[in-house]
């Protein structure tokens, strides 16, 4: 009597292959591995740095970096082409944020120089107030950049099936609207803002310790902003 062949490793492989075949093209399984997330974060850091070379495009590059990681965490493939598309759109919509950030940075440098010269009365107080205001402004800027891709994450779609730029939703994305949304979230979610402030401080320390680490700080900050927004909305969880 001929028995029924036992389903060995080959059968299990076929089942796994069948499960993968049922997925839509361009998708991957969320949380496939921590090392994969690390590699994507490092790549995002390089992309954000390249997009920040014009200085005033720093908010746009960060916004594109957060959108990039939101797509990745949601389980969809990403590419440098989709990042470039997001960056071009974000530059058109957030260039004013870049100008404001550059002006604020100039004010901080001038105030710091004046307080260090010793000619300004109450220099220590002015210095600490300036740095505190700069830290708050940096957190608001990061949250505004993260708000640019509202609607991504659990509701994202593969890049090749989304017409137009990532994050193209009914939510206003003008510089004024993003700044207002970032300020509101900074005040409503104090724990998340504290986490972002810690991430900004860590990035500053890394660059101060070793300048070449600037290559990865954009990715780390994008990951921190993605995690904070995920924590705020509750979707999706990081691997």
């Amino acid at each position: 009597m001929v028995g029924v062949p036992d389903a060995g490793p080959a059968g299990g492989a076929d089942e796994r292959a069948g499960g993968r075949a049922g997925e839509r093209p361009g998708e991957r399984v969320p949380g496939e591995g921590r090392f994969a997330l690390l590699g994507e974060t490092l790549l995002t850091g390089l992309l954000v740095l390249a997009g920040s070379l014009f200085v005033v495009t720093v908010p746009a590059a960060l916004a594109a970096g957060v959108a990039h990681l939101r797509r990745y965490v949601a389980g969809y493939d990403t590419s440098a082409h989709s990042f470039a598309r997001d960056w071009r759109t974000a530059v058109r919509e957030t260039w004013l944020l870049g100008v404001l950030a550059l002006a604020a940075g100039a004010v901080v440098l001038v105030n710091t120089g004046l307080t260090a010269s010793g000619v300004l009365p109450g220099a220590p107080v002015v210095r600490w107030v300036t740095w505190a205001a700069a830290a708050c402004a940096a957190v608001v800027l990061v949250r505004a950049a993260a708000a640019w891709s509202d609607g991504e994450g659990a509701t994202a779609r593969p890049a090749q099936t989304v017409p137009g730029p990532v994050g193209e939703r009914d939510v206003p994305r003008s510089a004024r609207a993003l700044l207002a949304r970032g300020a509101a979230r900074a005040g409503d979610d104090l724990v998340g803002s504290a986490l972002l402030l810690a991430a900004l401080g860590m990035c500053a320390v890394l660059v101060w310790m070793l300048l070449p680490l600037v290559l990865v700080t954009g990715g780390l900050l994008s990951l921190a902003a993605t995690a904070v927004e995920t924590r705020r909305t509750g979707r999706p969880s990081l691997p």
Side-chain angles (χ1 to χ4, degrees), residues 167-187:
E168 189 171 19
R169 303 292 185 266
D170 295 332
V171 182
R173 296 193 304 180
S174 65
R176 179 178 297 180
L178 291 175
L179 198 58
R181 213 175 308 155
R185 290 179 185 178

Side-chain angles (χ1 to χ4, degrees), residues 201-228:
M202 183 191 68
C203 290
V205 170
L206 288 176
V207 175
W208 173 73
M209 291 174 58
L210 190 61
L211 186 59
L213 288 178
V214 72
L215 296 172
V216 301
T217 53
L220 295 177
L221 195 54
S222 297
L223 180 62
T226 302
V228 166

Side-chain angles (χ1 to χ4, degrees), residues 16-214:
R16 288 192 297 271
R20 290 282 186 175
E23 297 174 0
R24 290 181 296 174
E27 288 192 16
R28 65 171 185 84
V29 178
E32 281 186 337
R34 297 179 186 274
F35 285 108
L37 178 61
L38 174 61
E40 198 68 29
T41 302
L42 296 178
L43 174 61
T44 303
L46 296 176
L47 294 173
V48 170
L49 180 62
S52 304
L53 292 179
F54 297 102
V55 183
V56 293
T57 58
V58 170
L62 186 59
V66 174
H68 183 89
L69 286 180
R70 275 180 161 176
R71 273 199 306 267
Y72 180 83
V73 172
Y76 297 101
D77 289 337
T78 53
S79 66
H81 179 268
S82 63
F83 176 90
R85 182 193 62 199
D86 294 342
W87 179 83
R88 289 193 299 269
T89 304
V91 167
R92 292 195 301 268
E93 297 175 343
T94 67
W95 63 268
L96 184 57
L97 288 180
V99 174
L100 293 175
L102 187 61
V107 171
V108 171
L109 289 177
V110 170
N111 278 8
T112 302
L114 288 176
T115 55
S117 66
V119 299
L120 189 67
V125 176
V126 174
R127 182 187 306 118
W128 284 108
V129 169
T130 299
W131 290 351
C136 294
V139 170
V140 170
L141 183 64
V142 173
R143 303 210 73 149
W148 182 82
S149 54
D150 278 353
E152 292 307 306
T155 60
R157 293 292 181 267
Q160 63 267 32
T161 64
V162 178
V166 169
E168 189 171 19
R169 303 292 185 266
D170 295 332
V171 182
R173 296 193 304 180
S174 65
R176 179 178 297 180
L178 291 175
L179 198 58
R181 213 175 308 155
R185 290 179 185 178
D188 295 340
D189 182 20
L190 294 178
V191 175
S193 297
L195 293 174
L196 281 179
L197 183 60
L200 285 164
M202 183 191 68
C203 290
V205 170
L206 288 176
V207 175
W208 173 73
M209 291 174 58
L210 190 61
L211 186 59
L213 288 178
V214 72

Side-chain angles (χ1 to χ4, degrees), residues 6-17:
D6 186 18
D14 291 341
E15 291 178 1
R16 288 192 297 271

